[in-house]
Amino acid sequence: MQDSNSKCQQLEDALDAYYDLELSAEEAEVVERHLADCEACTARLAEIDSVVMQVKSIPEVTLSRDLSGDIEAKILAAQAKSGELTPSPTHILAHTDVSNATAASNVVPFAPVASSKKKYYLVASAAAVIALFFGLAQLKPAPSTVASTSQANPTAIETVPKSLPVIGQTLPTSQIGLKQSPDLSSKLNHTPANATTSIATTSIATTSIATTRPVNAPASTHTAQMLAATGQSGGVKKHEHDINQNQVNDSEELVALYDYENSDNALDLGISTNEDGLYAIKL
Amino acid sequence: MDLSDEALIKKYRVDGDMTVFSTLVKRYQNRVFVIAYRLLNNSEEAEEVVQDTFVKVHQNFDKFRTENIFASWIFRIAHNLCMDILRQRQRKRSTLVVSFDPQSTVAEEEGDRFVNQPLSQVADEQPNPSQSLDMSEQTNMVERSLNELPEAQKIVLVLHDLQGFSYSEIAEIVGANIGTVRSRLHYGRIKLKELLAPYFSSEVNLPATFR
């Protein structure tokens, strides 16, 4: 019995090979002689057959389509890529698309949108503070610039429509610093000197804004027009001189200023303050 | 009359005609697909393996020695590609952590059934062994059990019992010696029998030749 068990162990994996007809003639004969005397190994052989039959019962899977065309295309593409063949126009096109896509994917935003908004506010605040500083600095030595345009040509305010950027176009920038238009205008009526100061502030602020933007940028169009209307930045001193000569107590001019401040043009520069008095520039 | 593999190979080497190569592709693509599908259990990946296999065959066509069996060479390339994919899956699986949060309802990852699923939600999909199985259920059970085998045993079983390759051909395909193939086949069948035992009657019909 023990001899039989040891023989069974020896032939354990040979039974599979015997079943699969993978044994040599001599090996197969040894197995057959053992099987004639061993019921356990005969049962084991039957189990092998059962398992193999179960495996063979698994339904066949087949390829859903002929892949030879795809394979040929892949081979040709690989050859074209390695320079073996001249790439076809479609290959070139495909390559271009890929490179464009890669280039596009390499483009990253300059800054996150959320933080850029904060930066706008900061820049606006800084610009307004600088404008105020220079405006105050110029307050004592000389009244400022813009109103002089109208003084040089007293009929200008009467004849020029609201939309034209003569005096009116510079005033909105004064609102950048001072914001509230009707009150300011009423103050201007009573204190012309203050009014001219604010206008001066405006012109400087405008200049500084213009330098921070490209000239041809859409948002800066008004600024460029204002500069043109006020004789450009080089003409600032001349305007200041004119303002010194001509008082702003000209009622018609003040009415025009008041009208302009109340017009929509005042917002065109994209500079405003919120209710907390913080300055913002639309870029 | 269909030309033999050797004749087609010789013809392609002389002419470089892609239609000749396509004939070889058409001859073997389905068998490559079956093996890849059985190993990967995913038809899309199996199709990719078929394509990549023949691209590699073409790339290395000069290296093929005509004294070798062309079919074995193709299936060896396919087998290696399948093994690469299985290794990638293994690496991916080893880096994933199963959540222990019973409230978690995170969607399962593609390709991995239980990835990111809490343990409480991992259901035992095995049917009750006491349930009687109809024919389609039986074959499903066999397929599932086959997929539970270790990869090395499964590929040998698929190549031999489903595809009819000889031990020596399998040895060449999987890159092992014949003794290893024989051993893997033996233990694979034992394991499969154990897996199927709860679902099938222990009675076996002994073929007449073995009585």
Side-chain angles (χ1 to χ4, degrees):
Chain A
M1 187 69 188
Q2 204 165 0
D3 285 348
S4 176
N5 279 344
S6 63
K7 193 73 177 173
C8 291
Q9 285 175 354
Q10 276 180 10
L11 295 178
E12 194 182 356
D13 71 331
L15 278 180
D16 289 273
Y18 174 74
Y19 179 86
D20 295 329
L21 305 175
E22 289 276 351
L23 292 180
S24 65
E26 296 82 28
E27 288 172 324
E29 198 180 325
V30 172
V31 172
E32 280 172 0
R33 261 190 272 132
H34 174 72
L35 283 172
D37 295 334
C38 182
E39 284 187 10
C41 284
T42 307
R44 166 76 192 120
L45 193 64
E47 285 174 359
I48 292 169
D49 180 65
S50 173
V51 170
V52 172
M53 288 303 124
Q54 297 284 5
V55 173
K56 286 186 175 173
S57 74
I58 295 173
E60 272 189 24
V61 289
T62 51
L63 205 50
S64 58
R65 63 195 177 94
D66 179 16
L67 296 176
S68 59
D70 293 359
I71 291 163
E72 193 175 332
K74 268 193 172 185
I75 289 167
L76 290 173
Q79 284 178 336
K81 199 177 178 184
S82 64
E84 287 180 33
L85 292 174
T86 309
S88 66
T90 50
H91 289 139
I92 295 167
L93 188 64
H95 187 261
T96 312
D97 290 346
V98 168
S99 62
N100 284 343
T102 311
S105 68
N106 289 337
V107 176
V108 291
F110 179 72
V113 178
S115 66
S116 64
K117 233 180 181 180
K118 286 180 183 174
K119 282 182 182 175
Y120 291 151
Y121 283 112
L122 283 171
V123 169
S125 305
V129 168
I130 290 166
L132 273 172
F133 176 77
F134 282 106
L136 288 170
Q138 288 195 353
L139 181 61
K140 285 183 181 175
S144 91
T145 154
V146 187
S148 63
T149 311
S150 61
Q151 295 296 339
N153 183 7
T155 58
I157 294 175
E158 291 175 5
T159 55
V160 173
K162 279 184 188 177
S163 58
L164 286 180
V166 183
I167 296 172
Q169 290 290 358
T170 46
L171 275 173
T173 14
S174 72
Q175 289 181 339
I176 299 162
L178 302 172
K179 176 74 180 170
Q180 57 300 56
S181 35
D183 295 344
L184 174 65
S185 295
S186 61
K187 281 181 187 173
L188 286 173
N189 277 329
H190 299 297
T191 54
N194 284 343
T196 51
T197 305
S198 68
I199 292 163
T201 306
T202 298
S203 67
I204 292 163
T206 306
T207 312
S208 68
I209 290 161
T211 54
T212 56
R213 283 186 177 172
V215 176
N216 58 353
S220 65
T221 312
H222 266 101
T223 312
Q225 286 176 341
M226 282 190 297
L227 288 173
T230 54
Q232 303 294 334
S233 57
V236 167
K237 283 196 174 179
K238 180 178 177 289
H239 292 310
E240 286 171 356
H241 179 68
D242 290 343
I243 288 170
N244 285 335
Q245 287 180 347
N246 302 293
Q247 296 297 315
V248 195
N249 59 1
D250 184 335
S251 62
E252 287 182 349
E253 186 179 340
L254 285 174
V255 167
L257 288 173
Y258 180 82
D259 286 345
Y260 185 82
E261 285 180 354
N262 284 319
S263 72
D264 290 339
N265 293 338
L267 299 172
D268 283 352
L269 285 173
I271 304 173
S272 61
T273 60
N274 64 12
E275 57 190 15
D276 297 328
L278 295 171
Y279 299 99
I281 302 171
K282 288 182 191 172
L283 296 176
Chain B
M1 182 186 158
D2 286 345
L3 291 172
S4 66
D5 288 353
E6 289 73 26
L8 286 169
I9 290 163
K10 200 176 282 183
K11 197 172 190 312
Y12 182 66
R13 280 181 171 162
V14 172
D15 301 341
D17 184 1
M18 272 309 282
T19 55
V20 175
F21 186 79
S22 289
T23 306
L24 288 166
V25 171
K26 284 173 185 166
R27 186 172 288 180
Y28 287 105
Q29 62 179 351
N30 200 60
R31 290 183 76 190
V32 172
F33 173 77
V34 171
I35 291 169
Y37 177 79
R38 289 289 166 214
L39 276 175
L40 304 172
N41 214 21
N42 181 307
S43 58
E44 284 177 14
E45 283 180 325
E47 279 192 13
E48 278 178 31
V49 166
V50 173
Q51 295 189 28
D52 293 346
T53 297
F54 286 103
V55 170
K56 280 208 164 205
V57 164
H58 189 270
Q59 282 172 350
N60 299 288
F61 211 75
D62 295 339
K63 294 175 189 168
F64 175 69
R65 307 268 173 243
T66 45
E67 60 266 24
N68 297 327
I69 300 166
F70 185 64
S72 301
W73 186 56
I74 291 175
F75 293 121
R76 180 164 193 172
I77 292 171
H79 169 262
N80 290 342
L81 288 170
C82 290
M83 288 299 123
D84 289 345
I85 292 172
L86 290 171
R87 271 192 285 271
Q88 282 172 11
R89 280 189 197 168
Q90 192 70 35
R91 272 198 293 272
K92 193 179 169 189
R93 202 173 291 134
S94 64
T95 58
L96 295 166
V97 179
V98 177
S99 167
F100 284 86
D101 178 10
Q103 301 301 319
S104 171
T105 54
V106 181
E108 62 191 59
E109 282 282 327
E110 206 180 326
D112 290 283
R113 281 189 306 165
F114 304 140
V115 172
N116 292 337
Q117 266 192 297
L119 286 181
S120 60
Q121 294 176 14
V122 179
D124 182 8
E125 294 181 357
Q126 307 287 336
N128 187 338
S130 63
Q131 290 172 342
S132 61
L133 303 175
D134 63 19
M135 236 359 233
S136 65
E137 284 174 328
Q138 279 187 32
T139 52
N140 283 342
M141 192 53 57
V142 176
E143 261 188 296
R144 201 175 296 170
S145 301
L146 188 66
N147 287 329
E148 285 182 34
L149 292 180
E151 299 299 339
Q153 293 174 6
K154 183 167 80 170
I155 182 63
V156 170
L157 248 79
V158 167
L159 288 171
H160 188 275
D161 294 347
L162 279 178
Q163 292 292 307
F165 283 103
S166 69
Y167 284 14
S168 61
E169 286 170 336
I170 295 170
E172 201 173 326
I173 291 168
V174 301
N177 60 47
I178 292 177
T180 305
V181 171
R182 191 164 122 170
S183 175
R184 285 176 184 172
L185 198 60
H186 169 65
Y187 287 108
R189 284 169 176 167
I190 289 175
K191 175 84 174 162
L192 194 59
K193 178 188 156 275
E194 287 170 3
L195 290 168
L196 293 171
Y199 305 99
F200 298 102
S201 164
S202 58
E203 291 176 17
V204 288
N205 298 318
L206 196 64
T209 51
F210 296 123
R211 284 180 199 273

